[in-house]
Amino acid sequence: MRKFKVFADFKEEEAYLNEMAKKGYFLKKHSAFGFYHFTEGTPEELYYHVDYRKFKTQADFEDYLALFEDAGWRHVYGTKNSLNQYFLPKDGNADDDIFSTKDSAALRYKHLNKICYANVTVAIAYFIAVLIIYDFSLANIGFLTQGLWEMTGTLFWMAFFFELPFVLFRTAPVVLSLVMGIAYAVWGSKAKRIYSKMMEDEK
Amino acid sequence: MNVSKYLPLTETTFYIMLALRKAGHGYAVMQKVEELSNGRVRVAAGTMYGAIENLIKQKMIMSVPSEDSRRKMYQLSPLGLEVLALEIERLKSLVEVYQQIESEEA
């Protein structure tokens, strides 16, 4: 089974995975596009923990996995570049945590915020690049057939459908970059709010 | 370099640095910290990894050759030793001030 979900709050994500396990759905994979892949089995009480990290090298990633395994965690899913890392306590204990200080638990949110904002920057840069290419006129990415809108009947529809794929090809990246930019901005600011709140609570 | 900017150390960082006076991998450090603190300070895996990453970035510890192909070995750097010594001085002076005031009141 596949489910599309996006979380800014790792606690909510962990609670969601625990809830799914209770219904007999166990996390198998989490794709970069936000899909959770589940396998079906006998319902179980599980306590998932999510870490969020970037690794420079495969050796760093291996060292990280070895540390968690040594410390009693089973790595459920995560690759060197997946950012999200999913763990279950080997002893099934509900009280185990992957963080022992509030600072380190809060840092996850700071990392998430950074990556989201980096993606917003990429989306904006892309959008500006497209505007430059089309001479700062969005009209230049629409229908370009001369006199198209004066045509009538079959001629109009033939010309319209002939150019439509080209128009979609030109507009889709623009729309997509705008939507992604806004989505990442919302996601990143949510993570930032949680981070600030966690750091405040500490004082 | 202004070493005092790293001070004061958090208790977790202090124990991790203390444990890394001798080379060790992540989990060995977790065990050593628990032992040194008589079980009072327990560093969880995620916190441990983040602390190592951070100390490497600050050049207070360095990665040393490891016999284990999966587990990296870390050790305190000369800078780390200096910071640790400075922290000890800071803590000592705190205790001294306290003792002085206490003896004056007595």
Side-chain angles (χ1 to χ4, degrees), chain B residues 3-4 9 30 44 70 73 77 87 98 105:
Chain B
V3 178
S4 60
L9 301 174
M30 283 170 68
R70 281 193 85 196
M73 293 277 273
S77 69
E87 174 71 350
Y98 173 80
E105 282 171 355

Side-chain angles (χ1 to χ4, degrees), chain A residues 6-10 32 52 54 83-84 108-124 177 179-193:
Chain A
V6 176
F7 294 94
D9 191 336
F10 294 108
Y52 190 85
K54 250 167 68 170
L83 299 167
N84 291 60
R108 289 186 288 188
Y109 296 95
K110 201 181 178 184
H111 290 154
L112 176 60
N113 164 265
K114 258 195 188 167
I115 296 225
C116 285
Y117 281 9
N119 286 336
V120 173
T121 312
V122 170
I124 291 172
S177 73
V179 170
M180 292 296 270
I182 293 166
Y184 273 118
V186 171
W187 195 10
S189 67
K190 257 191 187 172
K192 192 178 184 172
R193 263 204 307 280

Side-chain angles (χ1 to χ4, degrees), chain A residues 1-193:
Chain A
M1 187 180 67
R2 278 196 319 181
K3 284 253 178 185
F4 176 77
K5 263 188 182 288
V6 176
F7 294 94
D9 191 336
F10 294 108
K11 288 271 156 224
E12 280 175 19
E13 185 178 14
E14 289 165 357
Y16 168 70
L17 294 173
N18 297 349
E19 201 51 47
M20 290 303 280
K22 236 187 231 173
K23 291 182 200 156
Y25 295 101
F26 303 97
L27 180 71
K28 187 175 80 185
K29 191 185 156 179
H30 176 238
S31 75
F33 303 106
F35 284 99
Y36 291 85
H37 300 245
F38 294 98
T39 47
E40 243 187 295
T42 331
E44 225 182 304
E45 288 259 342
L46 292 180
Y47 306 97
Y48 285 92
H49 288 268
V50 186
D51 198 6
Y52 190 85
R53 263 176 223 287
K54 250 167 68 170
F55 299 96
K56 283 200 195 90
T57 65
Q58 186 65 28
D60 284 339
F61 183 53
E62 287 295 328
D63 180 46
Y64 169 81
L65 292 183
L67 173 62
F68 271 77
E69 278 163 27
D70 289 346
W73 295 93
R74 185 162 75 77
H75 187 239
V76 178
Y77 181 74
T79 63
K80 181 186 154 243
N81 299 316
S82 66
L83 299 167
N84 291 60
Q85 303 294 334
Y86 299 89
F87 294 97
L88 282 172
K90 278 181 193 161
D91 59 8
N93 197 332
D95 298 327
D96 290 342
D97 201 347
I98 57 171
F99 299 110
S100 51
T101 66
K102 268 191 190 168
D103 273 40
S104 55
L107 262 179
R108 289 186 288 188
Y109 296 95
K110 201 181 178 184
H111 290 154
L112 176 60
N113 164 265
K114 258 195 188 167
I115 296 225
C116 285
Y117 281 9
N119 286 336
V120 173
T121 312
V122 170
I124 291 172
Y126 183 85
F127 189 68
I128 291 172
V130 169
L131 284 185
I132 291 170
I133 289 167
Y134 292 108
D135 224 3
F136 288 94
S137 168
L138 284 175
N140 288 346
I141 58 173
F143 286 90
L144 302 175
T145 307
Q146 285 201 346
L148 174 71
W149 306 109
E150 279 79 47
M151 292 176 189
T152 48
T154 325
L155 186 64
F156 168 77
W157 289 113
M158 275 174 67
F160 179 83
F161 283 113
F162 177 77
E163 203 189 353
L164 187 61
F166 297 98
V167 174
L168 289 178
F169 189 73
R170 285 192 295 263
T171 49
V174 180
V175 174
L176 203 68
S177 73
L178 264 182
V179 170
M180 292 296 270
I182 293 166
Y184 273 118
V186 171
W187 195 10
S189 67
K190 257 191 187 172
K192 192 178 184 172
R193 263 204 307 280

Side-chain angles (χ1 to χ4, degrees), chain A residues 106 109-110 189-203:
Chain A
Y109 296 95
K110 201 181 178 184
S189 67
K190 257 191 187 172
K192 192 178 184 172
R193 263 204 307 280
I194 298 169
Y195 175 73
S196 308
K197 198 177 171 298
M198 283 179 82
M199 295 310 273
E200 252 171 52
D201 287 347
E202 202 167 351
K203 278 170 197 158

